[in-house]
Amino acid sequence: MTRAERWWTCTPKDFEGDAGFFSRDSGLLCSGFRRLGIDSRVVLLGESRRTDGAPVIRASMRQLRCPSWWISHGLDGVVLYAWGRPEFTPIVEAVRVAGIKVVLSQDSGGLVSPLCGAREWFTERWRVGGRWGVLRVPGVVLQVLRALSWGIVSLDLRRLDQFALGDGIAAVSPGALARYRRYVRAFGREELVRRLFLLPHPVSPDCTYEDGQPQKSCQVVAVGRWSDAAQKRPDLLMRVIEAASRRRKEYRFVIVGEPTTELEEWHRALPPAIRERVELSGVVAHEELVEVMKESRVLLVTSAFESFHISAAEALCCGATIVGSRSPCLPSLRWFTCGGSGTLAPKLGAEELGRALTRELAEWEHGTRCPATISRRWGDQLHSDQVAAKVITWSKCSS
């Protein structure tokens, strides 16, 4: 009797290995492998915890850097979330010495260097720099200087050394994939181009919408870590929702995520007729979020930058469409909204997002959006077992 193929995932961080971990990224990819009948575990750093799920294996950094540790598990392949960081290159080396295939998952929009697109790279650096307050200007200037000088050796060449060890290099969106191709070619590493392939972050299979399910209500949902104002832009969220709620009196708006003080004050100040249609639901369990998305027609994304935006992927699989901005810092949204799956504003602004939301709601009202069709299309690409299958297909084709 032949043994089951063994593909593990590894995130070299001391993360919780609880149910929340298995609802996204490497934990959910492990679950996807297991749904395919593949023997899969997740490797994390640190000591075992009471909350760890059954597939979690804990290891030390010393073990992860030791080929014999990897050999002892008899693996066929590892999907490693190393982010191109040089400190994790010894892990890649150990896996390769052990004779195991390794896929390097890049959780990035692909703007890792000005060589991927100078204007787009600077725009993202500037927006990320909004987190630094008064240090934004000197911080961004320092990043520019580093990228154009010593960073070529300390970051770019070391990242490329890591890429050279990988059997596969996975990008999470078509836009990111194009940027990584441009990046390796800029350094004359044409041999790395064929190792690049598309591997989106997985979505839980319970994110689905089928024919016969209750009809979607007139509801818009927004999901975010609102305390990160520079990235999630709650200021835009408040302005867009307030304007839309005045124009569309039949719509409800649900804001998921821990509300900031500003969000709470804004909500209290809304006229009663609007406030009763705007819900600050706070942080909710995955199962509850899925139900909200199944009920909603549109997910509103006010983010200034994202590497992937898992909530948008989940919303699509739940049959909702996406409204956001056509920004170079949001490459996944261009993919997610193609083929009638949403509407993008030409720029990141309250008026532009408001108009895009109005257009998208009109599409629903005119009957041009079919949630079951949207769900099937994106579930076939993003559900965890489908993403895991992409790894296996890639492995066989690259052998």
Side-chain angles (χ1 to χ4, degrees):
M1 180 177 178
T2 59
R3 68 168 177 82
E5 197 165 357
R6 307 190 81 185
W7 273 85
W8 287 11
T9 69
C10 176
T11 302
K13 294 283 187 178
D14 189 3
F15 288 151
E16 291 283 350
D18 57 7
F21 178 82
F22 283 91
S23 69
R24 59 187 298 156
D25 299 353
S26 62
L28 189 52
L29 181 58
C30 168
S31 298
F33 281 130
R34 293 166 74 87
R35 284 173 62 86
L36 296 177
I38 293 170
D39 183 356
S40 188
R41 302 287 188 273
V42 174
V43 181
L44 297 173
L45 284 179
E47 300 295 327
S48 296
R49 303 183 187 181
R50 180 180 56 82
T51 56
D52 282 352
V56 172
I57 290 181
R58 296 283 180 172
S60 67
M61 184 60 77
R62 181 177 180 179
Q63 287 174 311
L64 296 184
R65 293 178 174 180
C66 179
S68 62
W69 186 87
W70 292 102
I71 290 171
S72 69
H73 295 292
L75 305 182
D76 296 288
V78 174
V79 180
L80 177 65
Y81 289 71
W83 306 281
R85 296 178 186 173
E87 63 265 32
F88 299 128
T89 297
I91 300 176
V92 188
E93 292 174 333
V95 176
R96 286 299 304 273
V97 170
I100 301 167
K101 286 189 174 182
V102 58
V103 172
L104 303 174
S105 179
Q106 307 302 306
D107 182 13
S108 163
L111 291 174
V112 294
S113 161
L115 295 172
C116 301
R119 179 181 297 179
E120 293 86 353
W121 177 86
F122 180 81
T123 298
E124 185 171 80
R125 292 300 90 208
W126 180 253
R127 289 182 176 177
V128 173
R131 291 170 168 167
W132 307 332
V134 295
L135 297 177
R136 183 183 202 175
V137 171
V140 172
V141 168
L142 182 62
Q143 288 200 340
V144 171
L145 291 175
R146 180 180 64 176
L148 299 177
S149 56
W150 74 90
I152 295 173
V153 175
S154 64
L155 296 176
D156 294 319
L157 295 183
R158 295 176 75 185
R159 180 184 290 113
L160 291 167
D161 286 343
Q162 185 181 113
F163 284 2
L165 292 168
D167 294 282
I169 308 159
V172 295
S173 70
L177 181 61
R179 286 168 175 168
Y180 277 110
R181 285 172 176 159
R182 188 185 313 163
Y183 177 66
V184 299
R185 281 175 170 145
F187 284 94
R189 303 296 296 272
E190 187 69 28
E191 80 279 6
L192 297 179
V193 174
R194 66 178 180 273
R195 304 188 196 182
L196 286 158
F197 71 105
L198 175 64
L199 188 72
H201 286 317
V203 170
S204 177
D206 63 346
C207 293
T208 187
Y209 185 100
E210 299 176 356
D211 289 317
Q213 289 190 225
Q215 187 175 1
K216 284 182 174 286
S217 61
C218 295
Q219 181 169 289
V220 175
V221 62
V223 182
R225 189 179 61 259
W226 305 113
S227 58
D228 189 348
Q231 180 178 16
K232 303 301 182 180
R233 295 300 303 270
D235 56 323
L236 287 180
L237 179 78
M238 290 184 282
R239 291 163 61 191
V240 173
I241 286 182
E242 184 168 358
S245 62
R246 293 180 187 277
R247 291 193 298 267
R248 299 282 181 152
K249 294 182 171 54
E250 73 278 21
Y251 273 86
R252 283 179 44 80
F253 299 83
V254 180
I255 301 173
V256 178
E258 186 67 31
T260 62
T261 300
E262 291 77 12
L263 270 170
E264 292 176 332
E265 291 176 349
W266 164 77
H267 188 256
R268 285 194 296 268
L270 289 172
I274 293 179
R275 187 169 62 247
E276 68 183 12
R277 292 186 289 114
V278 179
E279 177 184 348
L280 297 182
S281 67
V283 177
V284 301
H286 169 76
E287 295 78 11
E288 186 176 348
L289 176 59
V290 171
E291 291 306 313
V292 172
M293 288 182 169
K294 288 181 179 181
E295 295 170 3
S296 302
R297 292 181 174 181
V298 172
L299 175 82
L300 174 62
V301 179
T302 56
S303 296
F305 54 92
E306 295 282 353
S307 61
F308 183 70
H309 206 280
I310 187 66
S311 295
E314 291 173 332
L316 290 168
C317 292
C318 289
T321 54
I322 310 301
V323 168
S325 65
R326 189 177 297 279
S327 167
C329 307
L330 298 163
S332 289
L333 294 195
R334 299 191 181 203
W335 181 33
F336 290 161
T337 55
C338 68
S341 296
T343 301
L344 294 183
K347 60 185 291 189
L348 186 68
E351 290 187 9
E352 292 81 3
L353 283 168
R355 286 195 290 269
L357 179 58
T358 297
R359 290 196 300 273
E360 185 57 32
L361 295 181
E363 295 289 347
W364 280 92
E365 290 151 13
H366 294 153
T368 58
R369 301 296 192 235
C370 176
T373 299
I374 293 167
S375 176
R376 281 194 299 271
R377 176 191 174 195
W378 288 102
D380 287 346
Q381 299 182 73
L382 300 176
H383 279 159
S384 58
D385 54 339
Q386 299 292 334
V387 175
K390 293 179 190 294
V391 176
I392 302 305
T393 300
W394 163 84
S395 173
K396 292 177 179 176
C397 292
S398 63
S399 298

